[in-house]
Amino acid sequence: MNTAPRIQTTAGRLAALGFADGARAERLLDELGPEAVGDFALLDDLVRAADPDLALTTLSRLVERDPSVLGAFRADPDLRRRLLGVFGLSAALGEHVVRHPECLPSIQWTRWPTVGELREEMLLAVGADPDEAEPAAEGVTAGPGTSGPAMEALRVAYRGRLLHLATRDVTGECTLAEAAAALADLASAALEAALAIARAEVADAGDVRLAVIGMGKCGARELNYISDVDVVFVAEPKEGADETKALQAATRLAQGMMRACSASTPEGALWEVDANLRPEGKMGPLVRSMESHLAYYRRWAKTWEFQALLKARPVAGDLELGQEYVAAVNELVWQAAARPNFVEDVQAMRRRVEAHVPAGEADRQIKLGPGGLRDIEFAVQLLQLVHGRSDPLLRRRATLSALAALSRGGYVGRDDAKALAEAYTFLRQVEHMLQLHRLRRTHVVPSDTADLRRLGRGLGMTTDPVGEFTTTWKRHALEVRRLHEKLFYRPLLQAVARLPETEARLSAAAATARLQALGYADPEGALRHIAALTSGVSRRAAIQRTLLPVMLGWFADAPDPDAGLLGFRQVSDKLGTTPWYLRLLRDETAVAERLAHLLGTSKYVTGLLLHAPEAVAMLGSPTELAVRPAATLAAEAAAAVGRHAEDAETAVAAVRALRRRELLRTACADLSGLIDIEEVGQALSSLNDVTIQAALDTAINKVTLERRAPFPTRMAVIAMGRLGGLESSYASDADVMFVHAPLPGVAERDATDAAHAVAEETRRLLARPAPDPPLQIDAGLRPEGRQGPLVRTIASYRAYYDRWASHWEAQALLRARFCAGDAELGREFVALVDPLRYPAEGISADAVREIRKLKARMEAERLPRGADPALHTKLGRGGLSDVEWVAQLIQLRHAGAVPALRTTRTLDALRAAAGEGLLDPADEEVLAQAWLFASRIRDALMLVRGRAADSIPTPVKERVLLARALGYPPEGTEDFVEDYRRATRRARTVVERVFYED
């Protein structure tokens, strides 16, 4: 075996050192000459670069342009180290050095110039006198659409300083905050020079004072390498000048300044100057007077505009006027949190920001994506707006300094502030390196391996640059997103919980202000609940302190945060000592989030949970909330009845507990958007069927035991109304009729007495006071109404319907279906009433007129006094009754000949009518939409308020809660009401035409 050592080529050694293309690197080094090949210090600095291949390529081009560079490198190792560091990150700045090797001496400066020095340098570059109060460039001939020498000179000077800063940045000679501030100062100097160019073009520039106000990152002195520079212009005429003409001159100055920065020249452009943050945005005048600015902000400005003004700072032009402007608007900025609808505006703005992220970029966006820079900035600025009114120490422009002030003041926990600052620094460093590469404005992390390798190495990750960078980035993003959700709340807990004395505490007043800003109507009450939940040293209190910071945010996102927090405290008091409860909420965040949403939305759900808190366990997944099959529920109910056969009340209590649990399951699925309104009606009706069947069985068993004889008759319960139509709501009674058939040889009177006793007992058991919701049995639709016997034999029903049945009874029987008891008897009853409700020849014209008169009388007489007909979901115009009567009239007229119409369900009847050509499909859609909308509202009213109602409420707060439960955004309450009015107006038009044939 050959044991001779393996000889490694030069290209191989270079590849091992970090060059991606060792052979090309070897060739380029050879071309630099023997001195370069043997210069190990040069090679070391190349290898340390983020992209050694890019650094070597740029060096090769520079040496070809200026061979003296290598000598300068040997004479000045610091120059070599810094310049090669930039070459390895920025192809664009490398290109600038190749084009302008004369800029190299500036890189040897170690001190970054002051703002004044930068201003002087940029002004001199464009030929302006820095000592003049309003310097104008000399000999400038550049007009719109042209590129003059002053513009080119400005770009060369600017990029020379940008190169200088980059050398300090990549070698760690300045911090991120220092680099961002230096970039903002350099931009300010460039704006001043651009303004000088503009003054040379505007003849009457001397008639006006023009201040350039930096906004965004420029105003905050936290600018990126490449970013739009956000500005606002404010102007005042000089003494004796006409204001209109002065503002016109100022507008031309502003336009010229913007053009001087953004116009394309042989040296490229600097950046876009963006003035869209001005009052009225793009639609507003480019320049306004101080008075005009303040008038707008006092009267018309939106919350986001005050958030933008947090960063306002004079950067160019008349700095004295700029300072006056900032002082004036600051008085408005720090009162913004007291504005009406402040929280709603902030929430809407947050949604808009998130919605604007392109779907394909969301996971790679370090600015707007989840866990990105905007998450940090948004949270910090919101806290500043809320608390800066009373705490001047929070009035800082830069994000990191503001975050530090929030931490020192106790508004943000120190560990949280540290984690956010570290993440912000990392993300901004990545942002800088992304932009340095091509000097292009980007915030998207590339997917190319070479690009990721450059980023990782630029951050000092050399072992596995791609893997280390990706892991670190994702870790920071997850942490930022997590902290973004809890940032508002952890200090609040420190104000009310018993924590170590070393922890910074928030005053009760500040905690109250924060809760109020988040939408809590009773911040003091919320503080009491939080204190009760988190006080103590028990494991329960410790887990609550972990849970509540996030859950408070979820409560704040719900329609009624106060009710949500109160409900959570009540449920926790009942289950807090149960070991699985808090562990479930801590480990399964989906459960905690869904619980917060439900408690903050529905008093009905809260009430059910308080009587069965263990049902929290079903919130873990959509599968747990799926509607259970009726057969499964029937078997469980039968088992419960069987276990308590000797005690009717206990047996039905167990069945009602089952019903309560399934009501909760259905309500949770409904509010979570897992089932639609038709499925809700089906689920609730089937659940009621099961409950009635179990109660009927229990009552029969009890009566049988009391009689000490076999039960003498067969009994069936016939569902009517919404129960019969499988359209039950949360508030629905159970409309039924009881029918029985005596067994052979049994006297009818004896059988009727036993059946009556069972019917009464069934009603009593289901309605008796208990912790579980009652199911009221309403037999008012029976023959002769409440004046008639509660139970009849099937023969009695036949005799009555043959002789006395009215048109309204035939109409009511359209909903009749068997729901409990003896199935064979149920079928007999249905067969008995079919000819009545589905007459073979339809109904007569007289009958139609009678039905129309009855409907008109109901509209006139049954609507509650004071109710708005346009907002009453049941009896109002275009509401449930309107739609149902249209369907029922079609059934009475045509179901005898059209079997498809023989259904107890309203929407199925409408669909069948459209399918058979008896109703225009467009009309069917209009009617169905109105019926569905009204049904959703009736159910939502019960869910939100915990009690039944038929009308959209008048109080604004109740309307808001109802609209939110129906999925409308906080600002969409009026949209909700108008949507309902529109749907029902359209439906009423169809009713007038189809039902009344008007």
mmCIF file of all heavy atoms in Angstrom, residues 340-374:
data_model
loop_
_atom_site.group_PDB
_atom_site.id
_atom_site.type_symbol
_atom_site.label_atom_id
_atom_site.label_comp_id
_atom_site.label_asym_id
_atom_site.label_seq_id
_atom_site.Cartn_x
_atom_site.Cartn_y
_atom_site.Cartn_z
ATOM 1 N N PRO A 340 -59.947 59.620 21.014
ATOM 2 C CA PRO A 340 -60.985 58.584 20.900
ATOM 3 C C PRO A 340 -60.548 57.482 19.933
ATOM 4 O O PRO A 340 -59.854 57.750 18.946
ATOM 5 C CB PRO A 340 -62.194 59.356 20.355
ATOM 6 C CG PRO A 340 -61.924 60.791 20.683
ATOM 7 C CD PRO A 340 -60.439 60.962 20.646
ATOM 8 N N ASN A 341 -60.923 56.259 20.246
ATOM 9 C CA ASN A 341 -60.657 55.106 19.383
ATOM 10 C C ASN A 341 -59.168 54.873 19.162
ATOM 11 O O ASN A 341 -58.759 54.328 18.135
ATOM 12 C CB ASN A 341 -61.352 55.273 18.027
ATOM 13 C CG ASN A 341 -62.849 55.420 18.168
ATOM 14 O OD1 ASN A 341 -63.476 54.707 18.942
ATOM 15 N ND2 ASN A 341 -63.419 56.368 17.439
ATOM 16 N N PHE A 342 -58.360 55.291 20.126
ATOM 17 C CA PHE A 342 -56.912 55.137 19.964
ATOM 18 C C PHE A 342 -56.518 53.675 19.760
ATOM 19 O O PHE A 342 -55.777 53.336 18.845
ATOM 20 C CB PHE A 342 -56.205 55.707 21.200
ATOM 21 C CG PHE A 342 -54.732 55.411 21.254
ATOM 22 C CD1 PHE A 342 -53.842 56.085 20.448
ATOM 23 C CD2 PHE A 342 -54.243 54.440 22.117
ATOM 24 C CE1 PHE A 342 -52.495 55.811 20.498
ATOM 25 C CE2 PHE A 342 -52.891 54.149 22.165
ATOM 26 C CZ PHE A 342 -52.011 54.845 21.356
ATOM 27 N N VAL A 343 -57.033 52.795 20.628
ATOM 28 C CA VAL A 343 -56.664 51.376 20.535
ATOM 29 C C VAL A 343 -57.132 50.776 19.221
ATOM 30 O O VAL A 343 -56.406 50.036 18.555
ATOM 31 C CB VAL A 343 -57.239 50.599 21.728
ATOM 32 C CG1 VAL A 343 -57.014 49.104 21.555
ATOM 33 C CG2 VAL A 343 -56.617 51.079 23.023
ATOM 34 N N GLU A 344 -58.365 51.113 18.825
ATOM 35 C CA GLU A 344 -58.889 50.573 17.561
ATOM 36 C C GLU A 344 -58.020 51.019 16.384
ATOM 37 O O GLU A 344 -57.758 50.235 15.472
ATOM 38 C CB GLU A 344 -60.328 51.036 17.353
ATOM 39 C CG GLU A 344 -61.335 50.419 18.315
ATOM 40 C CD GLU A 344 -61.366 51.072 19.671
ATOM 41 O OE1 GLU A 344 -60.604 52.061 19.883
ATOM 42 O OE2 GLU A 344 -62.128 50.622 20.523
ATOM 43 N N ASP A 345 -57.575 52.282 16.418
ATOM 44 C CA ASP A 345 -56.727 52.776 15.331
ATOM 45 C C ASP A 345 -55.397 52.026 15.287
ATOM 46 O O ASP A 345 -54.906 51.667 14.220
ATOM 47 C CB ASP A 345 -56.452 54.278 15.510
ATOM 48 C CG ASP A 345 -57.686 55.119 15.256
ATOM 49 O OD1 ASP A 345 -58.651 54.594 14.666
ATOM 50 O OD2 ASP A 345 -57.692 56.304 15.639
ATOM 51 N N VAL A 346 -54.815 51.800 16.455
ATOM 52 C CA VAL A 346 -53.537 51.093 16.498
ATOM 53 C C VAL A 346 -53.702 49.664 15.999
ATOM 54 O O VAL A 346 -52.875 49.152 15.234
ATOM 55 C CB VAL A 346 -52.966 51.107 17.935
ATOM 56 C CG1 VAL A 346 -51.737 50.210 18.032
ATOM 57 C CG2 VAL A 346 -52.605 52.531 18.335
ATOM 58 N N GLN A 347 -54.781 49.009 16.420
ATOM 59 C CA GLN A 347 -55.010 47.632 15.970
ATOM 60 C C GLN A 347 -55.226 47.572 14.463
ATOM 61 O O GLN A 347 -54.723 46.666 13.792
ATOM 62 C CB GLN A 347 -56.220 47.048 16.704
ATOM 63 C CG GLN A 347 -55.959 46.827 18.184
ATOM 64 C CD GLN A 347 -57.208 46.423 18.948
ATOM 65 O OE1 GLN A 347 -58.326 46.675 18.507
ATOM 66 N NE2 GLN A 347 -57.021 45.824 20.112
ATOM 67 N N ALA A 348 -55.962 48.550 13.929
ATOM 68 C CA ALA A 348 -56.185 48.564 12.479
ATOM 69 C C ALA A 348 -54.885 48.798 11.740
ATOM 70 O O ALA A 348 -54.625 48.179 10.704
ATOM 71 C CB ALA A 348 -57.193 49.660 12.126
ATOM 72 N N MET A 349 -54.050 49.675 12.255
ATOM 73 C CA MET A 349 -52.770 49.933 11.619
ATOM 74 C C MET A 349 -51.896 48.680 11.629
ATOM 75 O O MET A 349 -51.233 48.355 10.641
ATOM 76 C CB MET A 349 -52.058 51.074 12.340
ATOM 77 C CG MET A 349 -50.658 51.385 11.812
ATOM 78 S SD MET A 349 -49.973 52.875 12.568
ATOM 79 C CE MET A 349 -50.045 52.442 14.287
ATOM 80 N N ARG A 350 -51.908 47.969 12.739
ATOM 81 C CA ARG A 350 -51.123 46.745 12.832
ATOM 82 C C ARG A 350 -51.582 45.722 11.782
ATOM 83 O O ARG A 350 -50.769 45.065 11.139
ATOM 84 C CB ARG A 350 -51.264 46.168 14.233
ATOM 85 C CG ARG A 350 -50.501 44.866 14.438
ATOM 86 C CD ARG A 350 -50.719 44.368 15.842
ATOM 87 N NE ARG A 350 -50.077 43.086 16.069
ATOM 88 C CZ ARG A 350 -50.194 42.398 17.179
ATOM 89 N NH1 ARG A 350 -50.905 42.872 18.175
ATOM 90 N NH2 ARG A 350 -49.608 41.228 17.322
ATOM 91 N N ARG A 351 -52.901 45.603 11.629
ATOM 92 C CA ARG A 351 -53.408 44.664 10.629
ATOM 93 C C ARG A 351 -52.990 45.070 9.225
ATOM 94 O O ARG A 351 -52.661 44.228 8.400
ATOM 95 C CB ARG A 351 -54.937 44.577 10.724
ATOM 96 C CG ARG A 351 -55.438 43.766 11.897
ATOM 97 C CD ARG A 351 -56.918 43.459 11.732
ATOM 98 N NE ARG A 351 -57.697 44.673 11.749
ATOM 99 C CZ ARG A 351 -58.157 45.241 12.860
ATOM 100 N NH1 ARG A 351 -57.900 44.706 14.032
ATOM 101 N NH2 ARG A 351 -58.881 46.343 12.810
ATOM 102 N N ARG A 352 -53.029 46.367 8.944
ATOM 103 C CA ARG A 352 -52.641 46.819 7.606
ATOM 104 C C ARG A 352 -51.180 46.509 7.328
ATOM 105 O O ARG A 352 -50.820 46.066 6.236
ATOM 106 C CB ARG A 352 -52.891 48.322 7.460
ATOM 107 C CG ARG A 352 -54.354 48.703 7.324
ATOM 108 C CD ARG A 352 -54.505 50.113 6.782
ATOM 109 N NE ARG A 352 -53.923 51.095 7.667
ATOM 110 C CZ ARG A 352 -54.574 51.677 8.664
ATOM 111 N NH1 ARG A 352 -55.837 51.353 8.904
ATOM 112 N NH2 ARG A 352 -53.986 52.585 9.423
ATOM 113 N N VAL A 353 -50.322 46.734 8.312
ATOM 114 C CA VAL A 353 -48.898 46.466 8.123
ATOM 115 C C VAL A 353 -48.676 44.994 7.812
ATOM 116 O O VAL A 353 -47.945 44.628 6.883
ATOM 117 C CB VAL A 353 -48.105 46.890 9.380
ATOM 118 C CG1 VAL A 353 -46.675 46.361 9.309
ATOM 119 C CG2 VAL A 353 -48.090 48.405 9.501
ATOM 120 N N GLU A 354 -49.313 44.123 8.576
ATOM 121 C CA GLU A 354 -49.128 42.687 8.370
ATOM 122 C C GLU A 354 -49.719 42.234 7.043
ATOM 123 O O GLU A 354 -49.200 41.333 6.389
ATOM 124 C CB GLU A 354 -49.754 41.921 9.528
ATOM 125 C CG GLU A 354 -49.022 42.142 10.852
ATOM 126 C CD GLU A 354 -49.658 41.395 12.010
ATOM 127 O OE1 GLU A 354 -50.783 40.895 11.828
ATOM 128 O OE2 GLU A 354 -49.036 41.324 13.079
ATOM 129 N N ALA A 355 -50.815 42.870 6.638
ATOM 130 C CA ALA A 355 -51.475 42.471 5.389
ATOM 131 C C ALA A 355 -50.660 42.848 4.168
ATOM 132 O O ALA A 355 -50.832 42.255 3.106
ATOM 133 C CB ALA A 355 -52.864 43.109 5.301
ATOM 134 N N HIS A 356 -49.774 43.824 4.294
ATOM 135 C CA HIS A 356 -49.015 44.297 3.146
ATOM 136 C C HIS A 356 -47.776 43.453 2.852
ATOM 137 O O HIS A 356 -47.075 43.705 1.870
ATOM 138 C CB HIS A 356 -48.588 45.755 3.359
ATOM 139 C CG HIS A 356 -49.734 46.719 3.202
ATOM 140 N ND1 HIS A 356 -49.680 48.006 3.642
ATOM 141 C CD2 HIS A 356 -50.969 46.549 2.673
ATOM 142 C CE1 HIS A 356 -50.825 48.610 3.373
ATOM 143 N NE2 HIS A 356 -51.621 47.731 2.785
ATOM 144 N N VAL A 357 -47.474 42.485 3.704
ATOM 145 C CA VAL A 357 -46.308 41.639 3.448
ATOM 146 C C VAL A 357 -46.647 40.651 2.338
ATOM 147 O O VAL A 357 -47.610 39.894 2.454
ATOM 148 C CB VAL A 357 -45.900 40.863 4.722
ATOM 149 C CG1 VAL A 357 -44.674 40.007 4.438
ATOM 150 C CG2 VAL A 357 -45.629 41.822 5.861
ATOM 151 N N PRO A 358 -45.903 40.659 1.228
ATOM 152 C CA PRO A 358 -46.178 39.674 0.160
ATOM 153 C C PRO A 358 -46.118 38.253 0.708
ATOM 154 O O PRO A 358 -45.225 37.918 1.499
ATOM 155 C CB PRO A 358 -45.051 39.936 -0.858
ATOM 156 C CG PRO A 358 -44.626 41.344 -0.601
ATOM 157 C CD PRO A 358 -44.781 41.560 0.881
ATOM 158 N N ALA A 359 -47.069 37.442 0.301
ATOM 159 C CA ALA A 359 -47.190 36.089 0.863
ATOM 160 C C ALA A 359 -45.918 35.281 0.673
ATOM 161 O O ALA A 359 -45.504 34.522 1.553
ATOM 162 C CB ALA A 359 -48.378 35.367 0.220
ATOM 163 N N GLY A 360 -45.260 35.450 -0.468
ATOM 164 C CA GLY A 360 -44.063 34.666 -0.736
ATOM 165 C C GLY A 360 -42.846 35.121 0.026
ATOM 166 O O GLY A 360 -41.818 34.427 0.029
ATOM 167 N N GLU A 361 -42.915 36.292 0.680
ATOM 168 C CA GLU A 361 -41.758 36.833 1.381
ATOM 169 C C GLU A 361 -41.883 36.769 2.893
ATOM 170 O O GLU A 361 -40.917 37.041 3.603
ATOM 171 C CB GLU A 361 -41.535 38.304 0.986
ATOM 172 C CG GLU A 361 -41.136 38.519 -0.461
ATOM 173 C CD GLU A 361 -40.875 39.995 -0.747
ATOM 174 O OE1 GLU A 361 -40.983 40.805 0.207
ATOM 175 O OE2 GLU A 361 -40.563 40.339 -1.893
ATOM 176 N N ALA A 362 -43.065 36.457 3.395
ATOM 177 C CA ALA A 362 -43.334 36.605 4.827
ATOM 178 C C ALA A 362 -42.307 35.886 5.691
ATOM 179 O O ALA A 362 -41.870 36.417 6.718
ATOM 180 C CB ALA A 362 -44.737 36.094 5.144
ATOM 181 N N ASP A 363 -41.891 34.684 5.279
ATOM 182 C CA ASP A 363 -40.977 33.901 6.107
ATOM 183 C C ASP A 363 -39.532 34.361 5.991
ATOM 184 O O ASP A 363 -38.677 33.908 6.763
ATOM 185 C CB ASP A 363 -41.059 32.412 5.726
ATOM 186 C CG ASP A 363 -42.392 31.809 6.116
ATOM 187 O OD1 ASP A 363 -43.060 32.384 6.998
ATOM 188 O OD2 ASP A 363 -42.772 30.784 5.527
ATOM 189 N N ARG A 364 -39.239 35.248 5.019
ATOM 190 C CA ARG A 364 -37.858 35.685 4.832
ATOM 191 C C ARG A 364 -37.719 37.193 4.992
ATOM 192 O O ARG A 364 -36.652 37.746 4.759
ATOM 193 C CB ARG A 364 -37.350 35.239 3.449
ATOM 194 C CG ARG A 364 -37.545 33.754 3.170
ATOM 195 C CD ARG A 364 -36.785 33.282 1.947
ATOM 196 N NE ARG A 364 -35.358 33.206 2.181
ATOM 197 C CZ ARG A 364 -34.743 32.184 2.781
ATOM 198 N NH1 ARG A 364 -35.452 31.159 3.215
ATOM 199 N NH2 ARG A 364 -33.442 32.191 2.965
ATOM 200 N N GLN A 365 -38.780 37.856 5.397
ATOM 201 C CA GLN A 365 -38.766 39.309 5.577
ATOM 202 C C GLN A 365 -38.267 39.633 6.981
ATOM 203 O O GLN A 365 -38.905 39.284 7.963
ATOM 204 C CB GLN A 365 -40.174 39.876 5.398
ATOM 205 C CG GLN A 365 -40.404 40.591 4.103
ATOM 206 C CD GLN A 365 -40.002 42.051 4.187
ATOM 207 O OE1 GLN A 365 -39.485 42.506 5.185
ATOM 208 N NE2 GLN A 365 -40.226 42.775 3.108
ATOM 209 N N ILE A 366 -37.131 40.313 7.073
ATOM 210 C CA ILE A 366 -36.622 40.647 8.403
ATOM 211 C C ILE A 366 -37.179 41.968 8.909
ATOM 212 O O ILE A 366 -36.962 42.334 10.054
ATOM 213 C CB ILE A 366 -35.084 40.701 8.417
ATOM 214 C CG1 ILE A 366 -34.557 41.762 7.440
ATOM 215 C CG2 ILE A 366 -34.495 39.349 8.110
ATOM 216 C CD1 ILE A 366 -33.085 42.028 7.598
ATOM 217 N N LYS A 367 -37.919 42.684 8.063
ATOM 218 C CA LYS A 367 -38.502 43.946 8.501
ATOM 219 C C LYS A 367 -39.975 43.778 8.857
ATOM 220 O O LYS A 367 -40.391 44.042 9.983
ATOM 221 C CB LYS A 367 -38.350 45.011 7.419
ATOM 222 C CG LYS A 367 -38.950 46.359 7.798
ATOM 223 C CD LYS A 367 -38.767 47.384 6.686
ATOM 224 C CE LYS A 367 -39.377 48.727 7.059
ATOM 225 N NZ LYS A 367 -39.241 49.733 5.984
ATOM 226 N N LEU A 368 -40.779 43.316 7.911
ATOM 227 C CA LEU A 368 -42.222 43.271 8.105
ATOM 228 C C LEU A 368 -42.744 41.895 8.473
ATOM 229 O O LEU A 368 -43.891 41.766 8.895
ATOM 230 C CB LEU A 368 -42.937 43.749 6.832
ATOM 231 C CG LEU A 368 -42.579 45.152 6.339
ATOM 232 C CD1 LEU A 368 -43.313 45.457 5.047
ATOM 233 C CD2 LEU A 368 -42.905 46.186 7.396
ATOM 234 N N GLY A 369 -41.931 40.852 8.283
ATOM 235 C CA GLY A 369 -42.397 39.499 8.541
ATOM 236 C C GLY A 369 -42.543 39.208 10.024
ATOM 237 O O GLY A 369 -42.130 39.998 10.894
ATOM 238 N N PRO A 370 -43.142 38.067 10.368
ATOM 239 C CA PRO A 370 -43.292 37.682 11.784
ATOM 240 C C PRO A 370 -41.936 37.620 12.469
ATOM 241 O O PRO A 370 -40.997 37.009 11.971
ATOM 242 C CB PRO A 370 -43.933 36.289 11.694
ATOM 243 C CG PRO A 370 -44.574 36.241 10.345
ATOM 244 C CD PRO A 370 -43.701 37.066 9.445
ATOM 245 N N GLY A 371 -41.834 38.271 13.616
ATOM 246 C CA GLY A 371 -40.571 38.287 14.344
ATOM 247 C C GLY A 371 -39.554 39.226 13.745
ATOM 248 O O GLY A 371 -38.357 39.124 14.056
ATOM 249 N N GLY A 372 -40.002 40.154 12.899
ATOM 250 C CA GLY A 372 -39.084 41.077 12.245
ATOM 251 C C GLY A 372 -38.940 42.390 12.993
ATOM 252 O O GLY A 372 -39.450 42.588 14.098
ATOM 253 N N LEU A 373 -38.221 43.316 12.355
ATOM 254 C CA LEU A 373 -37.946 44.604 12.973
ATOM 255 C C LEU A 373 -39.218 45.370 13.312
ATOM 256 O O LEU A 373 -39.296 46.056 14.331
ATOM 257 C CB LEU A 373 -37.067 45.439 12.034
ATOM 258 C CG LEU A 373 -35.636 44.932 11.851
ATOM 259 C CD1 LEU A 373 -34.990 45.574 10.634
ATOM 260 C CD2 LEU A 373 -34.809 45.218 13.095
ATOM 261 N N ARG A 374 -40.224 45.279 12.442
ATOM 262 C CA ARG A 374 -41.438 46.041 12.689
ATOM 263 C C ARG A 374 -42.154 45.581 13.950
ATOM 264 O O ARG A 374 -42.783 46.387 14.632
ATOM 265 C CB ARG A 374 -42.364 45.934 11.474
ATOM 266 C CG ARG A 374 -43.598 46.815 11.532
ATOM 267 C CD ARG A 374 -43.259 48.280 11.736
ATOM 268 N NE ARG A 374 -42.438 48.815 10.697
ATOM 269 C CZ ARG A 374 -42.869 49.308 9.545
ATOM 270 N NH1 ARG A 374 -44.159 49.311 9.281
ATOM 271 N NH2 ARG A 374 -42.025 49.811 8.657
#
